[in-house]
Amino acid sequence: MSRQTERYPVPSANSLWHIYKTVPFWKVIRNFTVIQLARYTPWLRLKNRLYRHGLGMKIGDETAVALMVMMDIMFPERIKIGRNSVIGYNTTLLAHEYLIKEYRLGDIVIGDEVMIGANTTILPGVTIGDGAIVSACTLVHRDVEPYTFVGGNPMQVIKQLPKPE
């Protein structure tokens, strides 16, 4: 399944030159500050509160976001993480892509009880189903079905996991 993104062509220069036409400057500054606080905060309850109230993200109960995770600075409100999931150290979640002739936006939806390994990059428009496991250092460039173990670059299905009864 391909990623679900909205595409916005730009008339001149590369799309990053149009950044403050797509997202307000002060929103970026506020988001950057909140994200940097959260990246270094070892207290999970405080971290989740910063994401929920400072960035408008939807974070499920008992979800653990490790140190140094980089949430999307421009559109963090487009990220939803379910209940009791783990996002590994130094993972990057991108809800935007600024390209040469266009920029793209897409929601990231991570289900319940999902394990994301360290140093993973999740691209915009991706859904990761409940109970999935993403191996460390994976580029998540397409949807991951529930209860599937994936890994690598390019991402490959490693095996189907048993569904709980």
Side-chain angles (χ1 to χ4, degrees), residues 23-32 73-77:
V23 60
F25 174 78
W26 292 109
K27 177 186 176 188
V28 174
I29 296 300
R30 183 197 71 218
N31 290 351
F32 178 80
I73 290 178
M74 276 67 143
F75 303 97
E77 68 277 6

Side-chain angles (χ1 to χ4, degrees), residues 115-158:
M115 174 67 212
I116 308 287
N119 296 301
T120 290
T121 299
I122 302 172
L123 296 180
V126 167
T127 297
I128 300 173
D130 294 344
I133 298 174
V134 178
S135 175
C137 301
T138 296
L139 175 64
V140 183
H141 66 285
R142 59 186 162 90
D143 290 351
V144 177
E145 294 295 320
Y147 305 101
T148 304
F149 180 23
V150 299
N153 184 3
M155 183 182 79
Q156 307 273 332
V157 172
I158 296 170

Side-chain angles (χ1 to χ4, degrees), residues 90-122:
N90 205 38
T91 289
T92 301
L93 291 86
L94 295 171
H96 75 276
E97 296 179 297
Y98 285 91
L99 307 170
I100 301 294
K101 298 189 184 290
E102 69 180 5
Y103 67 95
R104 299 176 189 163
L105 304 178
D107 296 339
I108 293 174
V109 179
I110 298 172
D112 296 336
E113 300 189 2
V114 171
M115 174 67 212
I116 308 287
N119 296 301
T120 290
T121 299
I122 302 172

